Amino acid sequence: ALEMAKEEINTTGGVLGKQLKVVAEDGASEPTTFAEKAQKLISSDCVAAVFGGWTSASRKAMLPVFEGNNALLFYPVQYEGLESSKNIFYTGATTNQQIIPGLDYLKEQGMKSIFLVGSDYVFPRTANKEIKAYAAANGMEVKGEEYTPLGSTDFATIVNKVKAADADAVFNTLNGDSNVAFFKEYTNAGLTADSMPTVSVSIAEEEVKGIGAANLKDQLTAWNYYQTIDTPQNQKFVAAFKAKYGADRVTSDPMEAAYTSLYLWKGMVEKANSFGVDEVNAAAGGVTFDAPEGKVTVNGENHHIAKTALIGRIQPDGLIETVWSSKKPIEPDPYL
C-alpha cells in the first residue's frame, strides 16, 4: 500500500518537486532488528521519514532511536495507547478509537460478562488493563484472562477455560498466526458467534483469509476501515490495489493506515515547505486527507489522527461488513 501511494504521488509531481524513492528494510518480527534497521535508515540512508513497524514491541524498540536522532516514524497499526512522541505519528487507532468503541458495542448489545484472551506482550497486557477498568466502571464481569506466547498454536486448554467460563463474549487481543489456531479450536469446541461472540482487534481481511472465513462466520471486529466501505475514495483505493497486486487480494485497516500515512506526511511537508523534521512537526497539526476510511485530521499535540470507529461482522466471503459506526471521526485520546 505504501509502494502504491508512492507511485501515485510521484505520478502527480512528487513532494515539493522531488520524486520519492523507497528504501525497504525487514524488521523480521524482532524488536531489536526493527531498532537496528531504523538506525540504518536514518544514519546510512538519510531517509526523510520511516513508515512501518507492526507490534507495539517493535514500536517501543524503535522509539528511542527516532527520539535520539530526531527523526520521524509513521506507525500504521492500532495499538494500546498510553504513548505520545514528537517523533512518531500514529496513523492507526488509539484506545478510544477502537478498544473502547468495541466495548461500548458489547454493552449496547446487552453483554454483561467477557473473557479476555491475548498474546503475551505489551499490547494485549496494556489493553486488558484498560478493558478491566472499563468493565469495572460499566458493571461488566471479567470471567477470565488468559495469555499465550506470540506465535503459540496450542489453544485446547484456553478454549476449554473460555467455554467453561460461559461469558457473554470474548475480547480477543491475540496477534498473528495464533488467531488461526485459536479460532479453529474455538470452532471445534462448538463455540460460535451466536453462542459466544468474539470481538477481535487484530483480525482484518488479510487475516480472515488465513484463518478461514468458515471459522470466523459472523464474528465481530473493531477497526476504522474495511474494504467494503462504500465511498468513491475507497472504491478507487481498492480498485488500484487489486489492479497492482491481483484481483484476489484484499485491503485492510493497517494497509489503509499506511497508505494514508504517506499522504499525511506529504501534506505536512508541503504545509511546512520543508523536509526538515522540526519544520514538519510544527506544521503537522490540522493536516487532513480524504482517506479511503474517510476524512482524517492530524492532532498536532499528541501526533495521533481523528478516525471514525467501525464495528464489523465477518461475512462468509471473508469480507467484513460494518454493523456499527461512530458516524464521525473521534478525536484521539491515547491516555483516556
Side-chain angles (χ1 to χ4, degrees), residues 212-289:
N215 292 313
L216 290 165
K217 184 178 180 295
D218 293 333
Q219 296 291 8
L220 301 168
T221 62
W223 288 105
N224 309 96
Y225 168 86
Y226 300 120
Q227 181 176 300
T228 53
I229 290 175
D230 189 16
T231 62
Q233 291 90 341
N234 187 46
Q235 288 165 0
K236 180 184 172 189
F237 171 66
V238 173
F241 191 87
K242 286 178 176 290
K244 183 172 176 61
Y245 296 112
D248 62 331
R249 292 294 303 274
V250 291
T251 56
S252 69
D253 186 293
M255 292 179 190
E256 188 271 347
Y259 174 87
T260 295
S261 70
L262 194 59
Y263 276 99
L264 288 173
W265 172 77
K266 175 179 183 283
M268 296 173 198
V269 169
E270 290 173 344
K271 183 180 173 184
N273 197 34
S274 170
F275 291 97
V277 171
D278 292 336
E279 291 80 3
V280 169
N281 261 334
V287 168
T288 65
F289 177 58

Side-chain angles (χ1 to χ4, degrees), residues 16-64:
L16 298 185
K18 306 256 185 212
Q19 291 285 289
L20 302 182
K21 177 188 172 186
V22 169
V23 182
E25 290 291 348
D26 182 4
S29 298
E30 278 294 330
T32 52
T33 305
F34 269 99
E36 290 163 6
K37 297 296 187 181
Q39 185 64 57
K40 172 195 173 287
L41 289 168
I42 297 163
S43 302
S44 302
D45 299 304
C46 302
V47 298
V50 176
F51 299 79
W54 189 265
T55 62
S56 285
S58 72
R59 189 193 67 257
K60 293 281 189 189
M62 290 190 287
L63 188 149

